[in-house]
Amino acid sequence: GAGVSQSPRYKVAKRGQDVALRCDPISGHVSLFWYQQALGQGPEFLTYFQNEAQLDKSGLPSDRFFAERPEGSVSTLKIQRTQQEDSAVYLCASSYGDGPYEQYFGPGTRLTVT
Amino acid sequence: GENVEQHPSTLSVQEGDSAVIKCTYSDSASNYFPWYKQELGKRPQLIIDIRSNVGEKKDQRIAVTLNKTAKHFSLHITETQPEDSAVYFCAANANTGFQKLVFGTGTRLLVSP
């Protein structure tokens, strides 16, 4: 079956603009995670959904970051008033259950804030 | 919270040699330890994982060992090939009820022909 997909793959935003990043998890996967990966670093946890419920948002760096998964499938990560330090690859991962199960990653969205 | 340390940061080997990457974790409640391979510009791909109820797991040329007492786990790649060149990340789950992964800082493996 299809893997995790993300769009757009690349996004360039001017400082202060709002952006929305989309994640389509593997069909039937209950758990969905967002991670941020800075250049040369490992992924860092942002937030976690179990179905439509956002159960952990402890990794969101500021209140400019907001995530939702209203129907328990597709998820959107929104960043308001983007800053240069937001430049990174944003990875989405999905997992069958609430685990621990294998997490399957999408290709990521590379965000560059100019 | 959980903290994962990984070393070395870079590893260069000749084709056919073995490669070993080591990680330590801090939270004794962690019970799931995956390893991901990430090629440049690509998504992290799970290559092997181990749970805390076993000490070793092997899949062809790749093996992982876990020492729960010492809180460290290692990735072993035998008979390395140029296509093994990539960045490898270890991770541990933060077993707080939600299975987020805490990643190491990565090891860049270069296999020279």
Side-chain angles (χ1 to χ4, degrees):
Chain A
V4 179
S5 61
Q6 293 184 244
S7 60
R9 292 293 315 280
Y10 304 91
K11 178 69 179 177
V12 178
K14 292 188 188 305
R15 189 163 57 92
Q17 284 185 331
D18 298 349
V19 299
L21 313 179
R22 177 187 169 106
C23 172
D24 283 82
I26 293 172
S27 178
H29 277 194
V30 166
S31 297
L32 186 145
F33 304 81
W34 283 97
Y35 293 87
Q36 181 190 60
Q37 186 173 28
L39 192 64
Q41 300 295 315
E44 290 194 0
F45 172 79
L46 294 177
T47 188
Y48 164 66
F49 289 86
Q50 187 179 105
N51 295 307
E52 69 279 3
Q54 187 176 21
L55 298 185
D56 187 346
K57 53 182 181 179
S58 62
L60 295 177
S62 77
D63 58 8
R64 296 185 295 104
F65 286 70
F66 171 77
E68 59 182 6
R69 192 186 185 197
E71 297 179 357
S73 179
V74 171
S75 177
T76 304
L77 176 67
K78 298 179 179 178
I79 309 173
Q80 297 177 322
R81 305 181 303 281
T82 52
Q83 304 293 316
Q84 280 198 312
E85 61 262 30
D86 300 335
S87 296
V89 175
Y90 291 86
L91 294 164
C92 174
S94 71
S95 177
Y96 175 73
D98 58 2
Y101 293 98
E102 297 86 344
Q103 293 187 23
Y104 297 92
F105 282 84
T109 295
R110 181 177 296 278
L111 173 65
T112 303
V113 181
T114 62
Chain B
E2 176 67 281
N3 182 53
V4 176
E5 296 190 356
Q6 181 173 351
H7 61 95
S9 56
T10 59
L11 180 58
S12 293
V13 300
Q14 290 293 121
E15 183 177 0
D17 288 350
S18 294
V20 180
I21 303 170
K22 299 183 179 183
C23 289
T24 60
Y25 61 99
S26 61
D27 188 352
S28 56
S30 293
N31 61 0
Y32 176 63
F33 307 91
W35 286 87
Y36 285 85
K37 174 184 180 182
Q38 188 174 31
E39 297 178 37
L40 190 63
K42 301 288 183 63
R43 73 186 75 195
Q45 290 201 303
L46 180 71
I47 55 171
I48 196 166
D49 57 12
I50 191 167
R51 298 173 192 271
S52 59
N53 58 344
V54 299
E56 184 172 359
K57 184 176 178 181
K58 191 172 183 180
D59 183 4
Q60 299 184 347
R61 297 186 297 109
I62 294 173
V64 58
T65 59
L66 172 65
N67 182 326
K68 287 188 294 183
T69 303
K71 287 190 279 191
H72 68 69
F73 55 114
S74 300
L75 177 72
H76 304 253
I77 306 174
T78 58
E79 301 171 27
T80 54
Q81 301 168 2
E83 51 265 38
D84 294 330
S85 297
V87 178
Y88 291 79
F89 292 99
C90 63
N93 66 327
N95 199 4
T96 57
F98 311 124
Q99 302 303 326
K100 65 185 179 186
L101 294 177
V102 178
F103 285 82
T105 50
T107 296
R108 183 172 300 279
L109 175 64
L110 177 61
V111 182
S112 303

